[in-house]
Amino acid sequence: MKTILPLIFLLAAIPCVRAQQTGLIANTEGRKAVSLNGQWQTIIDPYETGYYDYRYQPSANGYFKDAKPKSKSDLIEYDFDTSESLLVPGDWNTQKERLLLYEGTIWYQKSFDYQRKPNTRLFVYFGAANYVADVYLNGEKLGRHEGGFTPFNFEVTTLLRDKANSLVVKVDNQRRRDGVPTLNTDWWNYGGLTRQVKLIETPATFVQDYFIQLQKGSREQISGWVKLNGDQLKQRVTVRIPEARVNRSFTTDASGYAEISFNADLNLWSPDNPKLYEVLVETETDRVQDLIGFRSIETRGPEILLNGKPTFLRGVSIHEEAPFRGGRAYSREDAITLLGWAKELGCNFVRLAHYPHNEFMIREADRLGIMVWSEIPVYWTILWENPATFQNAQTQLTEMIARDKNRAAVIVWSMANETPIGEARLAFLKKLVERARSLDSTRLISAALERHYLDEQTEMIDDPLGEYLDVLGCNEYVGWYDGLPEKADRLEWKTKYQKPLIMSEFGGDALYGKHGDALTRWTEEYQESLYQHQVKMLKRISFLRGTCPWILMDFRSPRRPLPGIQDFHNRKGLISDRGEKKKAFYVMQQYYHELGAASPK
Ligand code: GCB
């Protein structure tokens, strides 16, 4: 008995699922895939009746079984087929009026056929699901994913049938105190399968992931790694960049991993020259194609050096909010509109706030030559002392880097936004910084910090986290939450660190079309004047190397109830949610023009 017991416990601990979550598959655009976007059948389940039984125990016969009555006497109290549908990708809040404020569980179901060919493997891939997703195929659980803005995939090879597969996802967007983000944010808690869903087909052994970038500090040496998944792990891997005449082979080790390193004569990526190379990763069994840009990004004292040259980041902050139609942005068209406006403003940089945006944003930024700050939703008041909260933040960071590490556009990984100074917070964020550096040594690490007044005229940035960052971010609302716009004229800025500063937020609300004098809140004139005073102040900060006004476009927020003006929108946009440019847009555009942006059209 003594010897059997531990074995029983061990067996009990092994989950009885035939499928498993696989490490993220890189570059899903470059893979053979079938889209599962479109209408999904849905059941709204505020009491989670489809998950728990009446004793509040996980039920063995939940909605994930997608059961149908087998006889006329069978009792089944749900039916996906006759329930309402929702569009995927898409948040549920803006698809049905009665879901606008819904926070809780909705079950999604999709039926599909798939003829699997011999020696192939199949994965179901989700671009994002906010916030927790439990995924089932044909009644069996594939797994759970927590975190609303990063992708995940599960292998389904052995569970898949030729006909009538039923994929069920329970999506729960209840806010949680221990979540990342936590209960309190200044954006809408859009729930659902908010990004694309697809079935990815790979060979039995395939290239799961790779990191192909310039080595830190170099402009000609490419280094990184390739990782295979499957049972033929020891293979020859070839990396080809035809246009740069690169053709190099490596051998993977017993775990399918190979480090790569070689020199290349490259035309470097930059906003003026967003050069992307076709890169091929080939093995005996697989071949993936990607478009990759190569550039270096470093700091020296207060300078930010792009390809060795000092650069000023002419930025703007952006939420993942869809222009014109509202709700979560998810498409290439949304990305083109938002980044097109940023370009028109004169930007060479965007801060994608406050969570990783959809992959189209990053891909389009790569193509358009816009540098990107990407961040995780470690926002305001996370539970710094809770190990599970840390694990969650770390996973989201890992997934963000996993997806976008080969994109030249991304130059900054940001760890946190406006988090209150304290020991537990510092320990938490230091660990995240270490993690980010261990996953990717090539990019700059930042965080949007706060500042404080030394005296009435002196703003100081000395947050202890600054020591661990490459670039300081700072949010300030002089002229909005902090005095009137002219206050900016009297301020001097200091920092304890010999590091570049990006003013990662500043601004104020204006309702497009509301006019008045420059001291009347909510008018375009107030916002315009605020920006004029801000720009004058910013020009006086000697260590300033970037600006990201808050924000490109108005966005929905439950914290903003003022009738007739906010109507549950944060109105700090330089552009309204209908695409109308406010006066302040042109103040920023003029500033960016002076800083070297091409002439506004
Ligand atoms: C901030 C936050 C941002 C808010 C903004 C505001 O400091 O970082 O998420 O939306 O202020 O408008 O108050």
Side-chain angles (χ1 to χ4, degrees), residues 185-187 319 351 353-354 375 379-380 417-418 448-450 475-477 480-481 504-509 550-551 555 557 559-560 566 570-572:
T185 69
D186 187 23
W187 69 83
H319 256 297
R351 174 185 180 205
H354 276 304
E375 69 190 68
Y379 183 91
W380 289 353
N417 179 76
E418 286 184 358
L449 309 173
E450 294 178 324
N475 297 353
E476 52 92 0
Y477 281 92
W480 188 254
Y481 300 122
S504 39
E505 288 183 28
F506 56 94
D509 293 57
W550 190 258
I551 188 169
F555 60 98
S557 167
R559 294 171 59 86
R560 311 289 174 178
Q566 294 176 315
N570 184 314
R571 297 280 180 212
K572 293 191 185 70

Side-chain angles (χ1 to χ4, degrees), residues 183-465:
L183 298 172
N184 198 16
T185 69
D186 187 23
W187 69 83
W188 209 264
N189 181 23
Y190 292 119
L193 296 177
T194 49
R195 295 184 192 157
Q196 52 177 333
V197 182
K198 52 192 172 185
L199 263 184
I200 296 174
E201 188 188 284
T202 72
T205 299
F206 69 101
V207 178
Q208 185 196 302
D209 198 3
Y210 48 87
F211 188 34
I212 303 179
Q213 292 278 280
L214 281 173
Q215 161 109 31
K216 179 100 194 157
S218 169
R219 270 169 265 156
E220 58 275 334
Q221 202 196 351
I222 292 178
S223 72
W225 46 264
V226 175
K227 171 129 187 48
L228 308 184
N229 180 318
D231 46 21
Q232 242 183 290
L233 289 173
K234 227 170 151 8
Q235 285 201 45
R236 208 174 132 90
V237 174
T238 305
V239 176
R240 291 203 293 127
I241 310 176
E243 207 185 324
R245 286 185 287 281
V246 168
N247 185 338
R248 298 295 298 259
S249 294
F250 305 87
T251 309
T252 47
D253 64 17
S255 66
Y257 180 86
E259 286 195 357
I260 62 166
S261 180
F262 49 84
N263 279 344
D265 183 10
L266 297 163
N267 183 354
L268 298 179
W269 184 99
S270 74
D272 298 330
N273 175 44
K275 170 71 193 161
L276 300 176
Y277 285 91
E278 181 193 34
V279 176
L280 299 152
V281 182
E282 294 165 337
T283 69
E284 292 149 33
T285 53
D286 194 17
R287 177 181 195 268
V288 191
Q289 183 201 24
D290 207 341
L291 281 174
I292 300 183
F294 301 95
R295 52 100 197 92
S296 70
I297 191 81
E298 297 157 283
T299 63
R300 188 177 56 211
E303 298 298 343
I304 295 174
L305 306 175
L306 173 69
N307 299 328
K309 290 189 215 96
T311 301
F312 190 94
L313 305 175
R314 306 186 303 267
V316 69
S317 302
I318 304 182
H319 256 297
E320 194 184 39
E321 190 102 349
F324 307 111
R325 70 169 190 279
R328 271 271 166 271
Y330 51 74
S331 66
R332 191 185 303 275
E333 292 69 41
D334 294 334
I336 290 171
T337 305
L338 291 167
L339 295 175
W341 285 334
K343 276 234 140 186
E344 208 182 322
L345 187 63
C347 293
N348 59 8
F349 180 61
V350 289
R351 174 185 180 205
L352 301 184
H354 276 304
Y355 37 75
H357 287 210
N358 65 78
E359 197 172 350
F360 291 121
M361 282 296 271
I362 313 289
R363 291 274 182 183
E364 285 306 309
D366 243 10
R367 203 175 58 78
L368 292 167
I370 300 180
M371 293 177 276
V372 169
W373 156 312
S374 184
E375 69 190 68
I376 49 171
V378 174
Y379 183 91
W380 289 353
T381 53
I382 297 294
L383 283 189
W384 307 111
E385 304 197 28
N386 183 350
T389 302
F390 175 77
Q391 279 310 322
N392 181 354
Q394 179 167 269
T395 302
Q396 295 192 42
L397 175 72
T398 306
E399 291 170 345
M400 169 175 77
I401 295 176
R403 195 193 68 183
D404 294 336
K405 62 187 175 301
N406 291 313
R407 305 283 75 84
V410 180
I411 58 162
V412 175
W413 300 126
S414 176
M415 304 296 110
N417 179 76
E418 286 184 358
T419 51
I421 292 174
E423 263 176 48
R425 169 266 198 179
L426 184 61
F428 186 112
L429 294 179
K430 261 169 66 178
K431 280 198 282 172
L432 284 187
V433 170
E434 276 162 30
R435 174 71 169 198
R437 292 196 194 284
S438 76
L439 292 170
D440 176 7
S441 64
T442 73
R443 291 179 174 81
L444 307 178
I445 305 292
S446 192
L449 309 173
E450 294 178 324
R451 81 295 183 232
H452 64 96
Y453 282 94
L454 286 182
D455 56 48
E456 275 190 3
Q457 276 131 52
T458 319
E459 295 269 33
M460 179 61 157
I461 304 171
D462 58 3
D463 183 328
L465 182 64

